[in-house]
């Protein structure tokens, strides 16, 4: 499940945020069956993200920032032998220190601890702001409706299998 999530993230990296299927097909053809590069020459509403990711150095087969955050959680779980909130939130705080609260950083070449993606979703921007305000981890989360938490939850599902209470 974890590998499938990361493979899916990498497969979607190049063609992510196309909401006009005609434009996506014009850029990538009728069927995408392999990893693709960003199209920095896109002209749709999300062209700035594609250009930014391209300048950031993301290429076919790389994961987005979302995928990198999943890897960060997997690394924490592996290093600690299970979920350790202090370890994970310390790692996440280090990641948040690399952000400036915006969707896309001006210093596109910057990456920390292998984290990539260059585009920060709304949930992480809210978390960044709340942590900057000194709000503790247990209260700092975002109420935004992205799939970020659900994607990281697969790590807990893999870790705890059929122990649903622990997993939750």
């Amino acid at each position: 499940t974890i590998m499938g999530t990361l493979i899916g993230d990498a497969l979607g990296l190049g063609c992510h945020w196309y909401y006009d299927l005609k434009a996506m097909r014009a850029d990538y053809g009728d069927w995408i069956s392999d990893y693709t590069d960003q199209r920095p020459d896109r002209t749709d509403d999300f062209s700035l993200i594609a250009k930014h990711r391209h300048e950031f150095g993301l290429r076919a087969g790389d994961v987005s920032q979302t995928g990198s955050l999943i890897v960060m959680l997997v690394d924490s779980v592996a290093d600690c032998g299970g979920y350790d909130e202090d370890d994970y939130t310390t790692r996440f705080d280090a990641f948040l220190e690399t952000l400036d609260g915006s969707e896309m950083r001006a210093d596109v070449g910057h990456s920390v601890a292998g984290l990539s993606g260059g585009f920060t979703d709304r949930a992480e921007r809210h978390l960044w702001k709340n942590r900057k305000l000194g709000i503790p981890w247990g209260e700092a989360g975002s109420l935004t409706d992205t799939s970020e938490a659900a994607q990281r939850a697969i790590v807990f599902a893999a870790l705890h299998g059929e122990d649903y209470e622990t997993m939750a």
Side-chain angles (χ1 to χ4, degrees), residues 72-86:
M72 182 176 66
L73 176 57
V74 169
D75 287 345
S76 175
V77 166
D79 290 348
C80 296
Y83 179 67
D84 181 304
E85 183 176 352
D86 289 337

Side-chain angles (χ1 to χ4, degrees), residues 9 12-14 16-19 38 42 45-58 62-70 92 95-96 98-112 114-126 128 144-148 151-152:
D9 185 72
L13 181 78
H16 195 198
W17 284 306
Y18 275 88
Y19 294 97
Q38 298 287 304
R42 279 172 68 171
D45 291 342
F46 296 93
S47 61
L48 287 178
I49 296 170
K51 185 176 187 317
H52 181 80
R53 283 180 163 180
H54 181 79
E55 290 172 355
F56 196 84
L58 292 177
D62 290 335
V63 294
S64 71
Q65 191 174 83
T66 300
S68 294
L69 292 171
I70 293 168
F92 214 113
F95 161 71
L96 293 173
T98 70
L99 304 179
D100 63 4
S102 66
E103 292 177 344
M104 298 180 284
R105 294 207 37 172
D107 57 338
V108 293
H110 183 72
S111 179
V112 66
L115 294 174
S116 62
F119 178 83
T120 304
D121 276 333
R122 186 179 315 127
E124 279 75 28
R125 293 193 313 267
H126 289 175
W128 177 88
T144 193
D145 61 347
T146 68
S147 63
E148 301 288 312
Q151 291 177 57
R152 287 192 289 272

